[in-house]
Amino acid sequence: MSTQAGVGISQHHNPKVAGQTAVANALEQADITQPDFVFLFATVGYRQEILVKTVRAATGNAPLYGCSAAGIIAQGLADESNFAVAVMVVRSDELRFYHGALTGLSQSSTAVGQELGRRISQANGADAIALFLNADAITVNFDDLMTGLGQTNQQPLPIIGSLCGDNFAYQKTYQYHNEQVISDGISWALLSGNADLVTGISHGCVAVGQKRTITRAKGNKIYEIDHQPVMDVLHDYLEDDEIESWDRTAVNLGLGLVIPGLAGYGADYGGDVFIRCMMSKDEATGSVAMATNINEGSDFWVTRRDTEKMKQAAKQTAFNVLNRLNGKTPKFVLHIECDGRGKMVLPETDKQAMIAIMQETIGRDIPWIGLYAYGEVCPIKDHNCLHGFAGVLSVVC
């Protein structure tokens, strides 16, 4: 039994040329002519429908899963330009993929999660390994999505995934399923078969100031911190131009939330708080929105990035993953980086060096595909969590 995988990339501005080139390179690396499954990640300079249809046709209409991203990652490359595409092809007699897509997150993330649970329950057997998931960052409530999933799927699975990106526009993201391109939805792929999953996650944030408390919140929106309007409190940490340019704020300033019951989950992540990104602000209501529900009374620290901690933590995470492989050879790597761990924070040479050290540690000859995302999904203590400002290495071996 064996698995053959290959990754190809292109930065051509024509979506047809880019798609065809990336597929040709991926097939050549895998040494196959027809894949069983295809991963596709691309930035939003392309006409998304043309790109997806081109990749599907070039792979013989193989099943396809993916999403738009703020950038792509492959061996020796991390590209956050507006025109970058990465394709991974997989052919295997030991792995199976069952995939799909759903829309309607803005109406009810819970209902989407319930339908996802019903669908994967049909194929979620004893040899299920993991669920790969991409969700629209603009409209998802991740907690509600997970609640719905748990109501209709009784076999917990590790979930590895992303909140899809659109190159810092924060306007519209895309999810891919076969030839279909959707928004306000999820794309997913259930991986089953004869393999193991090894994951590692870390962030590079440090707490700023004292512990604070969320005193008024509803759903995923925060209105008051320590009984003060949230925007007034944030002015203690931000300059006026940072408040106005929210894309700069969203990739630099986060909330380190204390989550009861999930403390002590491992030093390689970086501490017993979950880093979450403030996705948007609403001046009219005086609130900031997260991608998860926020409970009144939650304690947190405001956090800022520390580039040296980020680089050291990424290196340590790669070593931790290598040790957990116990000598097994990876079949492929899915790498998810927060968009704020790229060009918005790090100089290009530092960004490339951070990616390179992880790849050199795990292996330069391994099929490696990844993306820069608006949020990262990775389990902690058997609990599937949404993270911010994090890097996730997921190795199928």
Side-chain angles (χ1 to χ4, degrees):
M1 302 179 74
S2 65
T3 296
Q4 294 167 270
V7 176
I9 61 96
S10 178
Q11 294 140 311
H12 200 286
H13 287 203
N14 184 306
K16 290 185 177 180
V17 175
Q20 291 167 350
T21 301
V23 169
N25 292 337
L27 292 172
E28 181 180 7
Q29 186 186 75
D31 193 23
I32 61 175
T33 57
Q34 177 61 48
D36 296 323
F37 200 75
V38 177
F39 290 76
L40 169 62
F41 303 118
T43 54
V44 295
Y46 298 110
R47 285 281 301 275
Q48 300 286 292
E49 293 81 2
I50 294 175
L51 177 65
V52 172
K53 287 182 180 179
T54 298
V55 170
R56 188 94 196 287
T59 54
N61 292 325
L64 182 149
Y65 156 88
C67 69
S68 65
I72 64 163
I73 301 170
Q75 285 284 8
L77 175 77
D79 189 326
E80 296 171 87
S81 69
N82 224 29
F83 295 93
V85 55
V87 172
M88 181 167 72
V89 295
V90 181
R91 184 165 186 173
S92 178
D93 59 6
E94 57 187 348
L95 300 177
R96 304 187 313 278
F97 295 90
Y98 175 66
H99 74 310
L102 294 163
T103 59
L105 290 173
S106 59
Q107 295 179 354
S108 174
S109 292
T110 302
V112 172
Q114 290 170 336
E115 182 59 25
L116 172 62
R118 283 188 283 267
R119 295 197 185 188
I120 65 173
S121 291
Q122 302 170 12
N124 192 358
D127 63 348
I129 299 168
L131 180 66
F132 298 134
L133 175 72
N134 302 311
D136 190 325
I138 311 300
T139 58
V140 70
N141 183 314
F142 185 79
D143 286 344
D144 288 352
L145 182 69
M146 291 299 100
T147 296
L149 174 62
Q151 290 171 348
T152 53
N153 180 66
Q154 302 305 311
Q155 183 178 342
L157 277 170
I159 299 177
I160 303 296
S162 68
L163 302 190
C164 315
D166 65 347
N167 290 48
F168 302 103
Y170 299 102
Q171 294 180 353
K172 189 173 186 179
T173 72
Y174 303 92
Q175 299 78 54
Y176 312 149
H177 171 242
N178 294 340
E179 292 185 8
Q180 187 180 19
V181 177
I182 63 173
S183 296
D184 189 33
I186 61 172
S187 58
W188 51 269
L190 176 66
L191 174 65
S192 303
N194 182 25
D196 293 319
L197 178 74
V198 176
T199 63
I201 180 172
S202 65
H203 66 80
C205 296
V206 294
V208 179
Q210 62 187 9
K211 183 170 68 174
R212 312 201 69 148
T213 303
I214 295 168
T215 49
R216 188 162 77 90
K218 184 177 181 180
N220 66 334
K221 292 187 176 182
I222 302 172
Y223 294 89
E224 291 184 3
I225 295 172
D226 294 334
H227 303 289
Q228 302 175 58
V230 62
M231 297 309 299
D232 289 354
V233 173
L234 291 180
H235 269 97
D236 293 342
Y237 302 90
L238 297 167
E239 301 296 333
D240 288 342
D241 62 334
E242 292 178 302
I243 292 285
E244 293 301 319
S245 301
W246 196 256
D247 58 340
R248 293 174 58 193
T249 298
V251 299
N252 280 290
L253 194 74
L255 304 185
L257 291 163
V258 178
I259 300 182
L262 290 177
Y265 46 77
D268 62 326
Y269 175 67
D272 287 349
V273 293
F274 285 85
I275 309 299
R276 297 280 167 80
C277 175
M278 295 177 286
M279 298 299 296
S280 62
K281 65 183 174 82
D282 186 338
E283 297 282 7
T285 62
S287 65
V288 296
M290 315 291 283
T292 57
N293 287 331
I294 299 295
N295 295 323
E296 291 183 354
S298 296
D299 292 329
F300 72 95
W301 282 263
V302 171
T303 62
R304 278 194 180 274
R305 297 184 185 280
D306 182 284
T307 55
E308 286 306 312
K309 180 177 180 181
M310 184 192 310
K311 289 184 284 187
Q312 289 301 316
K315 181 179 180 179
Q316 186 62 51
T317 295
F319 278 110
N320 291 342
V321 168
L322 181 66
N323 290 334
R324 292 170 193 153
L325 289 173
N326 292 321
K328 292 183 179 179
T329 301
K331 303 178 190 299
F332 60 84
V333 175
L334 177 59
H335 183 181
I336 303 168
E337 285 281 330
C338 175
D339 61 341
R341 289 163 63 96
K343 65 182 181 182
M344 292 288 281
V345 175
L346 294 173
E348 185 67 18
T349 53
D350 287 357
K351 179 187 78 173
Q352 299 291 349
M354 188 174 76
I355 299 296
I357 191 63
M358 289 187 275
Q359 294 177 341
E360 289 166 2
T361 301
I362 304 297
R364 278 290 194 178
D365 58 345
I366 297 165
W368 190 296
I369 191 170
L371 71 157
Y372 284 92
Y374 288 170
E376 307 77 52
V377 182
C378 182
I380 297 292
K381 291 179 66 175
D382 299 322
H383 182 81
N384 290 308
C385 301
L386 176 67
H387 307 270
F389 304 166
V392 175
L393 290 179
S394 177
V395 182
V396 176
C397 56

